[in-house]
Amino acid sequence: MTDRMRVTFDPSLATGDPEIDRQHRELFDRLDRLLAAAHEHRSREEVGRTLAFLGDYVVEHFAAEERLMALGEYPDAEPHRAQHRGFVREFEVLYHQFKADGPTTLFVIRVGNRVTAWLREHIYRSDRALVEHLRSRPHP
């Protein structure tokens, strides 16, 4: 079995918000588990369960961020939510691809590259801006 590249949370992505950063670490951990399951040719059912679990966690995480946006009266909330919706749509396409074809090499590459790149970019730009806004607001 060849070594695989691990997907890990890069500390440079830290937003400074402990809960958001914990959730981001968890997202990267779950993504890494999914890629490991596919790379190690575990059963289609196991890969499918891991993929569904990751998808559910993404939705939970986005909902938590969107609650913070509402509470913090974040002015860029709609564009941020639109990014979330776009990611969920792309994830659904990957899920349907998996359901149709299983954990193919192309599936693993798409998840490893596209999902990881999107998360890194979104965290680095959008989530950091959200946390910066939340920190700038006066606390009651």
Side-chain angles (χ1 to χ4, degrees):
M1 175 82 34
T2 59
D3 288 339
R4 70 174 183 87
M5 195 143 164
R6 302 279 320 249
V7 175
T8 58
F9 179 80
D10 184 328
S12 71
L13 296 173
T15 65
D17 181 283
E19 183 58 20
I20 289 176
D21 289 340
R22 183 195 65 72
Q23 291 177 7
H24 288 162
R25 282 186 191 87
E26 186 67 22
L27 278 170
F28 278 91
D29 182 58
R30 290 174 191 232
L31 180 58
D32 189 62
R33 288 184 214 174
L34 170 64
L35 293 171
H39 180 79
E40 295 165 8
H41 305 291
R42 295 186 202 150
S43 73
R44 183 180 181 129
E45 292 76 25
E46 183 176 348
V47 175
R49 280 192 307 270
T50 307
L51 180 62
F53 200 66
L54 175 62
D56 290 344
Y57 193 81
V58 164
V59 170
E60 290 173 25
H61 169 66
F62 287 168
E65 280 188 3
E66 290 171 14
R67 283 190 298 274
L68 287 175
M69 287 185 236
L71 288 170
E73 299 174 341
Y74 186 47
D76 292 325
E78 187 46 43
H80 197 130
R81 279 192 298 272
Q83 290 174 19
H84 289 171
R85 287 190 303 268
F87 181 82
V88 169
R89 280 192 303 274
E90 182 159 347
F91 196 86
E92 287 170 352
V93 168
L94 289 171
Y95 187 78
H96 291 298
Q97 177 190 354
F98 168 79
K99 292 299 256 183
D101 303 327
T104 63
T105 300
L106 181 58
F107 170 80
V108 173
I109 290 169
R110 283 186 174 156
V111 170
N113 290 343
R114 289 166 69 182
V115 172
T116 302
W118 187 93
L119 282 173
R120 289 182 195 282
E121 181 71 17
H122 179 76
I123 291 167
Y124 192 76
R125 300 210 185 280
S126 301
D127 289 348
R128 289 171 111 193
L130 168 61
V131 171
E132 188 175 307
H133 169 78
L134 294 173
R135 283 194 169 149
S136 71
R137 294 187 48 83
H139 297 285

